[in-house]
Amino acid sequence: MTPEQLDIEQALPRMQDLASRLWSRTARHHPGQLAWSAAYGEPEALDLGPVFVLDDAWAWLESPDWLEVCGVEPDAVRAAVAAALETVDGDVTASTLESEDVVLAALAETGFVEVEAPWFTHHHLDLADLPPVRLPEGYAVRAVRPGEHEERAAVHRAAWSATSKVTTGAYHRLMATPPYRPELDHVVTSESGEWVASCCVWWDEATGVALVEPVGGVAEHGGRGLAAAASVSALTAARGLGATEGLVCPRGDDDYPGPARLYRRIGFVPGARTRTYRRTTGR
Ligand SMILES: CC(C)(COP(=O)(O)OP(=O)(O)OC[C@H]1O[C@@H](n2cnc3c(N)ncnc32)[C@H](O)[C@@H]1OP(=O)(O)O)[C@@H](O)C(=O)NCCC(=O)NCCS
């Protein structure tokens, strides 16, 4: 059982297909999250490493010291992890959901131990329970249009930080990365037409799950429900296409509780959390 070594562009459709096939509320990976992780910045800024792929598992060196793993078949997961680790020559960190038993076992067998790190909690929402979109007066919400990658990247950066890796060129590429759909990428505009909040939703048609990633609201317009409105609006559009369940994965630790509060107000309920593991070489 020898995994194929591929670069992320070649591997992404197969990684997404496996993530979709294995999706459950106890699984870490969603096809939209993989698209975002593979394309949110310029390739040279992201420093994405190779993927080790089998039919039933993959292991991705998302960066030279960060490993992501997908699979539920123990031998396949073990083989993918082993192939990835053969190419690593330093410490490597991996994060997975606490419910990913097979991945956790493969990491433990290869010397990973749990470390303290910021963690994330998967949150779920039956889209039948979505509240209506609520916007304060003067604001409007709409879907991004093809060709608006420059404005879209700018509103993301304005909310996150000026040093965000989300450039105009990167967003252009992201918009060409399946399962991206502009009709599920929503922005809130102010009375003067300025873009002030945004939410991108990724719909996996096979599972019906619509992932919220990312959400942003610029600070000068913060605390008015704009990020929540962008999220509800994009999720409502996904429901209109056939999505049945929402997923969002905000920080779960106490150091950054705001986004989880925002999603719980919309109706999302917490599920499994991530845990972080590190394998040190002792050098
Ligand atoms: C987190 C972030 C998206 C919030 O944007 P926002 O537009 O201020 O979000 P909202 O206004 O919808 O909600 C924020 C707060 O405003 C409050 N609020 C919402 N509508 C309100 C209203 N009509 N009147 C008064 N307060 C309101 C909410 O209760 C919430 O408060 P809480 O955090 O104490 O629960 C924004 O700060 C941001 O982009 N941060 C950096 C990126 C980030 O962390 N993104 C989320 C990652 S998962």
Side-chain angles (χ1 to χ4, degrees):
M1 194 180 285
T2 308
E4 243 180 293
Q5 179 174 338
L6 301 174
D7 67 35
I8 181 64
E9 263 179 46
Q10 296 169 299
L12 184 60
R14 283 173 66 183
M15 295 164 72
Q16 291 174 313
D17 179 61
L18 185 66
S20 184
R21 276 195 278 133
L22 298 183
W23 170 256
S24 76
R25 286 195 175 193
T26 56
R28 171 168 175 78
H29 296 287
H30 180 284
Q33 181 62 55
L34 295 169
W36 173 260
S37 298
Y40 74 95
E42 308 282 352
E44 51 288 0
L46 297 183
D47 201 13
L48 304 174
V51 192
F52 299 84
V53 188
L54 289 162
D55 286 344
D56 293 323
W58 53 254
W60 177 27
L61 284 163
E62 185 174 342
S63 66
D65 61 358
W66 190 273
L67 184 69
E68 289 287 340
V69 184
C70 180
V72 294
E73 205 281 292
D75 289 340
V77 171
R78 234 180 250 130
V81 169
L85 291 178
E86 260 172 43
T87 69
V88 171
D89 100 36
D91 295 353
V92 59
T93 303
S95 181
T96 188
L97 271 196
E98 61 185 356
S99 46
E100 290 264 17
D101 296 336
V102 173
V103 173
L104 289 170
L107 294 176
E109 279 169 25
T110 45
F112 282 85
V113 292
E114 188 168 1
V115 290
E116 284 289 318
W119 46 275
F120 298 82
T121 306
H122 282 205
H123 282 67
H124 308 275
L125 172 65
D126 182 337
L127 293 182
D129 299 333
L130 261 182
V133 178
R134 282 191 208 93
L135 270 178
E137 216 179 309
Y139 293 96
V141 64
R142 70 164 174 87
V144 167
R145 298 177 191 121
E148 290 185 322
H149 44 279
E150 185 172 355
E151 301 88 328
R152 182 62 182 85
V155 69
H156 177 90
R157 274 198 309 278
W160 282 78
S161 84
T163 56
S164 158
K165 292 178 180 151
V166 179
T167 60
T168 296
Y171 215 93
H172 191 228
R173 206 163 59 92
L174 185 81
M175 288 173 80
T177 305
Y180 179 87
R181 289 167 173 261
E183 64 267 41
L184 302 184
D185 190 2
H186 284 212
V187 290
V188 173
T189 55
S190 70
E191 205 150 26
S192 62
E194 189 193 348
W195 292 30
V196 292
S198 59
C199 170
C200 186
V201 160
W202 302 83
W203 174 42
D204 179 17
E205 277 190 65
T207 59
V209 179
L211 170 77
V212 170
E213 172 72 332
V215 173
V218 304
E220 304 83 76
H221 296 261
R224 296 174 205 180
L226 303 186
S231 306
V232 173
S233 181
L235 285 165
T236 304
R239 184 177 64 185
L241 292 177
T244 52
E245 184 172 333
L247 169 69
V248 68
C249 313
R251 286 272 291 273
D253 56 272
D254 290 339
D255 287 350
Y256 194 53
R261 275 204 305 269
L262 187 163
Y263 303 126
R264 288 182 200 182
R265 246 190 354 267
I266 291 172
F268 279 93
V269 289
R273 59 161 280 190
T274 63
R275 291 187 186 275
T276 304
Y277 299 83
R278 187 159 303 136
R279 180 180 188 256
T280 48
T281 56
R283 290 175 312 132

